[in-house]
Amino acid sequence: MSPPLSRRGFIASATALSAASALPAWATAPMLGAATPPFRRFTLGGFEVTTLLAGEATRPDPHSIFGLNVDHEEFTAVSEAAMIPTDQAQFFFTPTVVNTGSELVLFDTGLNAEGTTAALEAAGYSADMIDTVVITHMHGDHIGGLMDGDTPTFANAGYVTGSAEFDHWSAAGDDNFEAKVRPLAEQFTMIGDGDAGFSGHTAMAAFGHTPGHMVHLIESEGESLMIAADFANHYVWSLAHPDWEVKFDMDKAAAAQTRKTLLDMLAAEKMPFVGYHMPWPATGYVEKSDSGYAYVPSSYQLRL
């Protein structure tokens, strides 16, 4: 058996390899820049589920968004333990398509029509193929793609949302709602906790992030998935610490309680979920221990 390679031996081997590779190159490959595939598709029983990377953004000073009720030392310690920076955060915006075989359903529409339709097209769909658009809640990054200028983006679609959510924003005088949702208002079907928008779908109240925020359970042939929207907006600073206050949660106490309820459910049932702002491709599981909760990114489970 060969002796273990020492540091000195490793450096010597690397130097020899470098010398051997110093031959003239036949061609120089161009630098292409960082890239991320804009969709990921997997099966759920008899359904196909596709997550869409409709946009992403880097934001400075994440402690001004997450952990508003903890001091900087705690925020820094948690971040360092997770090996993530404290001076910036990466946000992902992930609508989801569910193909039931008879309907093509889109959950949320991204920041704008351009980003969402580009991801749809990369995944093999077009905007006019969407039968139903389900809106989990009406923050701008979820309704932004409903309209392309003055034209509905999804020309052949019907729309579904929670009645409590619609009623709140309809009376709020919100510019995004007026521009994106109001023109389509008569085409919306309103649902509540426990209602279904299509076969294999159950809506579930998850209030707090917004007054009518909902998550959605998808079931086919004994397999289940939660489209979890914004119940937790970061895999460490929100999911792993459900009591940490989040700037975008409109009712912070209710949002924290919702987080713990859903985290307990996901962990107990070992159910995969799609989190709208989870690290791309936005699918994972929840692990619970005596010390709290942890996000477990999916690896190959959803491919089997």
Side-chain angles (χ1 to χ4, degrees), residues 25-297:
W26 292 108
T28 301
M31 296 291 185
L32 300 178
T36 303
F39 75 95
R40 183 190 181 191
R41 182 176 294 118
F42 56 93
T43 59
L44 186 81
F47 293 174
E48 286 186 343
V49 179
T50 305
T51 57
L52 304 173
L53 185 58
E56 55 183 304
T58 304
R59 297 284 186 256
D61 190 17
H63 194 194
S64 68
I65 301 171
F66 300 100
L68 303 184
N69 55 334
V70 302
D71 61 32
H72 189 66
E73 288 72 21
E74 182 177 356
F75 185 84
T76 298
V78 166
S79 303
E80 289 179 349
M83 294 180 284
I84 51 177
T86 59
D87 61 336
Q88 56 185 339
Q90 190 73 8
F91 281 85
F92 304 87
F93 304 90
T94 313
T96 300
V97 176
V98 176
N99 187 350
T100 71
S102 59
E103 278 188 86
L104 198 62
V105 183
L106 175 67
F107 287 82
D108 292 328
T109 68
L111 291 156
N112 51 58
E114 181 181 12
T116 301
T117 56
L120 272 171
E121 289 167 5
Y125 305 122
S126 60
D128 60 5
M129 294 171 67
I130 300 297
D131 296 297
T132 303
V133 176
V134 179
I135 299 297
T136 64
H137 66 290
M138 295 187 178
H139 278 161
D141 56 328
H142 294 256
I143 63 173
L146 280 171
M147 300 289 291
D148 187 359
D150 294 328
T151 304
T153 305
F154 308 100
N156 300 315
Y159 305 89
V160 174
T161 198
S163 56
E165 185 72 359
F166 185 93
D167 290 347
H168 168 80
W169 292 103
S170 181
D174 179 74
D175 289 344
N176 277 321
F177 178 92
E178 297 303 326
K180 304 293 185 177
V181 179
R182 184 74 73 187
L184 304 168
E186 294 184 1
Q187 300 174 53
F188 268 88
T189 297
M190 303 301 166
I191 58 174
D193 185 38
D195 290 343
F198 56 92
S199 179
H201 164 242
T202 305
M204 181 177 174
F207 301 164
H209 181 63
T210 61
H213 179 274
M214 303 188 85
V215 300
H216 298 271
L217 301 179
I218 309 299
E219 300 177 275
S220 175
E221 298 178 1
E223 297 185 24
S224 300
L225 169 80
M226 180 185 289
I227 297 177
D230 282 15
F231 92 99
N233 278 4
H234 191 276
Y235 73 108
V236 175
W237 299 320
S238 185
L239 186 153
H241 296 272
D243 287 318
W244 282 19
E245 292 183 356
V246 180
K247 175 181 178 180
F248 302 120
D249 290 342
M250 296 175 69
D251 183 332
K252 292 175 174 48
Q257 185 57 55
T258 289
R259 271 193 287 280
K260 288 182 278 191
T261 298
L262 294 183
L263 290 169
D264 285 342
M265 174 184 174
L266 289 167
E269 299 191 17
K270 296 181 168 59
M271 184 189 299
F273 76 99
V274 179
Y276 194 79
H277 297 294
M278 291 297 112
W280 176 253
T283 53
Y285 299 82
V286 174
E287 182 177 70
K288 186 179 181 182
S289 66
D290 291 340
S291 59
Y293 304 91
Y295 178 63
V296 182

